[in-house]
Amino acid sequence: ADFKSPAKTMIDVGCGNGFFLQWISQRSEAQLYGLDFSQVALKRTRHFVPEAHTVEAPAEKIPLSANTFDYISCIGSLEHFVDIPGALAEMYRVTKPGGKALVYVPNLFFVGHIWFGLTRGAQPSEGEQDFSERYFTYGGWRTLIEQAGWKITEVRYYNWILYTAKVPRAVQALYNWIMRPFVPKNLSYAFAFYAVKPKRGR
């Protein structure tokens, strides 16, 4: 319930067009912030979420005070950052003790990536962004997040194949509706890590 309080603060790191902030704004009165190093992205964020405060900066150097935010999110952006451990440390720094984080990241060992590696020798890639992506396994991401100081409280696994031109629609449908429920968790498409910044003495 406290998430909806106007006294609470939240920042979306790597906010892009602001679509996640827009979704949040429809469900909460919290003070919202969007951080991105792209002026174009922030302009779009201001268009879709005019009430949000925007911050132009890289995630590795957030120009805000420590212990500022109750909630922090990073959705599909962490894998693109130059210094992933540095970004996680900065996210930790600006979050209040007891504050909560949501980090959504792709899986290096997604069953689809393994299949493309076996059949085509292809690197993992989404949307032709392989020039700026680094993938890790479940254990790899978990280690990076925990090394930054976060305590992981929950992990959710995502397996839907959507918005890709690499897989024919018939194959997508076959995977999504028949094969997907049987994919082992460690071979999921992506992970959503829920974490908390421990309070002192905990």
Side-chain angles (χ1 to χ4, degrees), residues 21-68:
L21 283 174
Q22 183 183 46
W23 187 87
I24 293 294
S25 72
Q26 296 167 354
R27 293 160 174 80
S28 169
E29 294 182 4
Q31 299 176 54
L32 302 179
Y33 289 73
L35 181 138
D36 208 294
F37 74 118
S38 167
Q39 292 183 359
V40 174
L42 293 178
K43 182 178 179 180
R44 291 174 177 169
T45 294
R46 288 190 290 270
H47 172 75
F48 289 112
V49 199
E51 68 272 26
H53 306 278
T54 54
V55 181
E56 183 182 345
E60 297 88 345
K61 293 184 179 180
I62 301 175
L64 298 169
S65 300
N67 305 322
T68 297

Side-chain angles (χ1 to χ4, degrees), residues 48-151:
F48 289 112
V49 199
E51 68 272 26
H53 306 278
T54 54
V55 181
E56 183 182 345
E60 297 88 345
K61 293 184 179 180
I62 301 175
L64 298 169
S65 300
N67 305 322
T68 297
F69 296 99
D70 297 287
Y71 303 95
I72 192 163
S73 59
C74 187
I75 311 295
S77 296
L78 187 61
E79 67 272 19
H80 297 287
F81 297 156
V82 174
D83 179 6
I84 292 174
L88 285 166
E90 274 291 88
M91 291 164 59
Y92 184 88
R93 180 185 66 82
V94 300
T95 302
K96 295 177 182 179
K100 298 177 181 179
L102 166 60
V103 179
Y104 179 88
V105 285
N107 181 16
L108 174 64
F109 282 0
F110 169 49
V111 65
H113 295 159
I114 294 173
W115 174 253
F116 274 105
L118 286 170
T119 58
R120 305 181 188 180
Q123 287 284 109
S125 173
E126 293 300 330
E128 307 303 325
Q129 300 179 90
D130 51 300
F131 66 92
S132 68
E133 287 178 318
R134 279 182 293 169
Y135 287 74
F136 294 90
T137 62
Y138 167 81
W141 284 120
R142 186 176 189 110
T143 297
L144 285 166
I145 293 168
E146 290 178 334
Q147 286 179 342
W150 296 99
K151 179 182 178 182

